[in-house]
Amino acid sequence: MNNIMIPLNEMPVGSLGKVKKLISNGSIRRRMLDLGLIIDTIVEVLRTSPSGDPTAYQIRGAVIAFRSEEASQIFVESILPE
Amino acid sequence: MNISTWIKALKDTSTIKINSSDDLIIALAGNPNTGKSTVFNSLTGLKQHTGNWPGKTVTTALGEYTHKDKTFSLVDLPGTYSLLSNSVEEEIARDFICFSQPVATVVVTDAICLERNLNLALQIMEITDKVVICVNLMDEAKRKKIQINLKELSEILGIPVVGTNARDGEGLNELKDAIYQVATGEMNINPFKLSYNALENTIAQVEPIINEILDGRINGRWVALRLLDSDESILNSLNSYMEADLWQNYKLRKVITETKELLNPNEIRDIIVSSIIQSAESIGSKVVTFENKEYNQLDRTLDNILTSKTFGIPIMLALLGVVFWLTIEGANYPSQLLFTGLFWVEERITDFFIWAGLPEWLHGILVLGAYRTLAWVVSVMLPPMAIFFPLFTLLEDLGYLPRVAFNLDNFFKKACAHGKQALTMCMALGCNAAGVIACRIIDSPRERLIAIITNNFTPCNGRFPTLIALTTIFISSSLDRFQSIINVLTILGTITLSVIITLIVSRILSKTILKGLPSSFTLELPPYRKPHVGRILIRSFLDRTFFVLTRAIIVAAPAGFLVWIMSNIIVGDMSLLHHSARLLQPLAHLIGLDGYILMAFILGFPANEIVIPIIIMSYLSEGAILELHSLRALRDLLIANGWTWLTALCTMLFSLNHFPCGTTLLTIKNETQSRKWTLISFLVPTITGFIICFITAQSVRIINHLASSNFL
């Protein structure tokens, strides 16, 4: 296990990450928290759109797509599948 | 339009008028896409359309129902995930629950992702004790082998919890009972309360002050939390609804400010949200059992195919192609049948006029004018619409449309627009007015305006039949075997072209009058749902048929009436119709049309469906052909009036790019609350149409000219 935080948009499809930090502020931050992206939430990278962006993530049972701009503001720690 | 007028617009539409003061007001809240509108419909018997994509209801709807001895007014609040993000919808929902003080608030939740839905439920329980949880879509959960212990959930939360399948009407009586008991105070409720460790101390100091100022009318603990969370909108709302200015109180201001100096706003926010989400998580883990850990495997597999890198976009085009193929093929026969039937009726009416000795002009106006146009609209427009709409509704209910937005978002991002614009364009395929209303799902005002202004580039249901008829006549009629395939490809090409034009114009708008960077983008891809095929097909078929028939009577018949009069009033040596067409001729010729076609588009302003019938009426009144019973006869009529394939192409292009119909413009006026943006929405597609048709017509003419001078 490594403890390096990387932005969510750099995580490969199929990988799992644990949310460690949100660097966004204001309304975007509120929106992300409302989606359940609090510390230690596990996010799975599901797939990238055929047009290259956005990417879909599994967050607390829901599938949510972020553009790379939004995903780059979410820092995660890479974890291994159970 | 700026943000504040937009908010005002949304708020105005949500002003609730309760019929009778004796009615008990019930609020219906819930996450988007939980079947909240279905619950609302089943309780009140009203019919709002619900599709499987988040954010359908943005304004509130109001309905009534009676249970036992009481009448309840049910208010359908906008679907929201939370009440903390300060979007317009959230403020509407929050203010209603907080200040209208409904006797009960029903929170509709989705059984498949209950934990996530509890987030909103817990927040609402902080404002009011009188909450009933409705766990909807229990059948979907059962199919996915997700077990929910409703009894335990009710015990933990301390409020009634009812499981429902609103689509089948299951559980609604129990829901009504629970609402009744909570509303009348029959049931003792003892709601679960969240705790916020690091903030509790401050809350304890502030809560009594707030309770004193507000006289206990609003939950003081909740208001204290909002103040800590720097939620200024709640202060404004308190000011406007209760005329209470909390900030005037020195002690309160001091305590709050001190806490905020200790913890920064992001930290406070994190404490609040984390506490809510962790509670939801822990409750969820107690009451929800996933018997099958791979419960969402089917959704994943479907997404792997439908949003695949290689096949995602081809499949999307193919699906659209199949829908159009079924529409075109399926419409053929009923169209012919309606033609024959309605013109048989016309002959009978004519017989009657002769028998009754009624004057010829009356026959002209009523039969040749009004009735014939109506017959045309019904026989040419009704079958394709009545087939396309139900098929499209099926895709919508399945949950496919958000995938379209997902597949295409990057193109919209490059146009500095919002991916959800793709959803609004999908809706526009049905009706542009519906498409414009759907633009409410886009949060950012700038991107929302772009979507509204460019919505008309997507051809609506009223324009397909025109496109299909012209394609059949001028492009594919010489090909017997591949006719329907060529038709489908032409329509697909037309739609692709309309998407490209939309993207280009969106980008131009973003670089000129609507400057700005793309705002934040989140898109939910909801679980696929098994649609109730039979019910949807029948329902949407009947709705469409009714819609087309009503429009035919309200719009097409009067238009036919008017055109007949115009073609029979002779001024000087020509009819009024001929005069107008001649006046328009020079301009029309420049863009590859003729005066009659351009006039038909102008007269067709109330509804796009009547453009072709007006063209036909105009030509017929010139006496080229007197009877018209089929598309073949139409072809002869058009060719006799000088149409070439270029005329047909330019007519199709102009049909795709011209001013929105009357209904759509009115909707735009309502949605933007601005004459300026309505005018711009009128001008942008019209100017685009003139430019595209001009370039097309002139290039073809130059090429033809060069070719003939070289080879002759």
Side-chain angles (χ1 to χ4, degrees), chain B residues 539-566:
Chain B
R539 179 68 194 285
S540 140
F541 172 81
L542 292 178
D543 278 359
R544 254 315 86 173
T545 308
F546 180 72
F547 177 81
V548 174
L549 289 179
T550 322
R551 289 252 292 203
I553 293 163
I554 296 174
V555 178
F561 191 89
L562 181 71
V563 174
W564 195 89
I565 292 175
M566 281 178 74

Side-chain angles (χ1 to χ4, degrees), chain A residues 22 24-39 41 44 46-56 58-70, chain B residues 82 84-87 115-116 119 229 266 269-270 273-274 277-278 281 296 300 303-304 307-309 406-411 413 417-419 443 518-525:
Chain A
L22 300 180
S24 51
N25 280 307
S27 66
I28 304 176
R29 186 185 174 86
R30 290 176 172 224
R31 208 151 285 258
M32 289 185 169
L33 287 172
D34 275 339
L35 290 170
L37 287 170
I38 56 170
I39 304 292
T41 301
E44 181 183 354
L46 288 179
R47 65 180 55 78
T48 301
S49 152
S51 55
D53 205 19
T55 300
Q58 174 96 27
I59 303 167
R60 296 185 179 270
V63 180
I64 310 283
F66 291 128
R67 282 179 179 172
S68 55
E69 285 80 358
E70 279 76 44
Chain B
S82 158
L84 300 174
S85 292
N86 292 87
S87 71
E115 181 194 316
R116 175 159 180 249
N119 182 11
D229 196 17
N266 279 351
R269 167 54 61 120
D270 285 0
V273 177
S274 302
I277 289 180
Q278 279 158 2
E281 193 179 344
N296 55 9
R300 287 196 178 198
D303 270 339
N304 281 341
T307 62
S308 130
K309 265 218 141 54
F406 179 70
N407 284 344
L408 298 179
D409 177 60
N410 210 13
F411 301 117
K413 183 172 149 187
H418 201 288
D443 295 321
S519 64
S520 83
F521 174 87
T522 54
L523 172 75
E524 185 182 3
L525 302 175

Side-chain angles (χ1 to χ4, degrees), chain B residues 578-702:
Chain B
H578 206 103
H579 275 297
S580 328
R582 181 176 273 193
L583 202 68
L584 292 169
Q585 180 63 27
L587 178 62
H589 184 74
L590 275 181
I591 56 171
L593 310 176
D594 70 24
Y596 291 103
I597 307 174
L598 189 55
M599 191 181 57
F601 275 110
I602 296 171
L603 291 174
F605 175 69
N608 283 298
E609 292 96 311
I610 58 177
V611 170
I612 289 278
I614 294 176
I615 296 176
I616 295 166
M617 284 271 298
S618 317
Y619 289 153
L620 283 177
S621 71
E622 299 298 309
I625 294 174
L626 288 169
E627 294 298 319
L628 198 62
H629 290 306
S630 65
L631 278 183
R632 186 158 291 276
L634 174 58
R635 173 189 161 84
D636 295 339
L637 175 74
L638 296 180
I639 289 176
N641 280 279
W643 280 52
T644 61
W645 66 269
L646 178 64
T647 323
L649 179 66
C650 286
T651 307
M652 287 170 74
L653 286 172
F654 199 72
S655 168
L656 205 58
N657 309 290
H658 71 287
F659 41 82
C661 75
T663 317
T664 307
L665 272 183
L666 267 180
T667 312
I668 294 174
K669 174 80 188 9
N670 271 335
E671 293 296 301
T672 59
Q673 295 286 310
S674 142
R675 286 207 187 125
K676 178 185 152 201
W677 292 113
T678 313
L679 181 67
I680 289 174
S681 306
F682 177 90
L683 290 176
V684 166
T686 312
I687 294 170
T688 313
F690 271 97
I691 294 172
I692 291 176
C693 290
F694 177 80
I695 294 174
T696 311
Q698 298 309 325
S699 328
V700 171
R701 281 178 192 149
I702 289 167

Side-chain angles (χ1 to χ4, degrees), chain B residues 35-140:
Chain B
K36 191 163 67 69
S37 300
T38 317
V39 173
F40 178 82
N41 292 343
S42 345
L43 286 175
T44 60
L46 287 180
K47 291 177 182 76
Q48 284 188 303
H49 176 73
T50 34
N52 185 10
W53 45 285
K56 232 36 231 205
T57 323
V58 182
T59 41
T60 45
L62 178 70
E64 270 194 348
Y65 74 91
T66 309
H67 188 61
K68 294 181 185 165
D69 56 332
K70 295 262 190 289
T71 304
F72 295 90
S73 283
L74 191 64
V75 179
D76 190 15
L77 298 175
T80 60
Y81 294 108
S82 158
L83 295 177
L84 300 174
S85 292
N86 292 87
S87 71
V88 181
E89 294 79 31
E90 293 185 11
E91 275 182 36
I92 292 173
R94 181 199 68 191
D95 283 358
F96 190 85
I97 298 169
C98 187
F99 300 109
S100 299
Q101 307 216 323
V103 290
T105 300
V106 181
V107 185
V108 183
T109 58
D110 179 349
I112 300 163
C113 42
L114 186 65
E115 181 194 316
R116 175 159 180 249
N117 285 239
L118 284 175
N119 182 11
L120 178 71
L122 291 171
Q123 289 182 38
I124 290 175
M125 288 167 63
E126 292 203 290
I127 308 180
T128 167
D129 289 350
K130 299 192 162 187
V131 179
V132 176
I133 305 274
C134 162
V135 183
N136 194 30
L137 302 169
M138 290 294 283
D139 52 341
E140 295 280 334

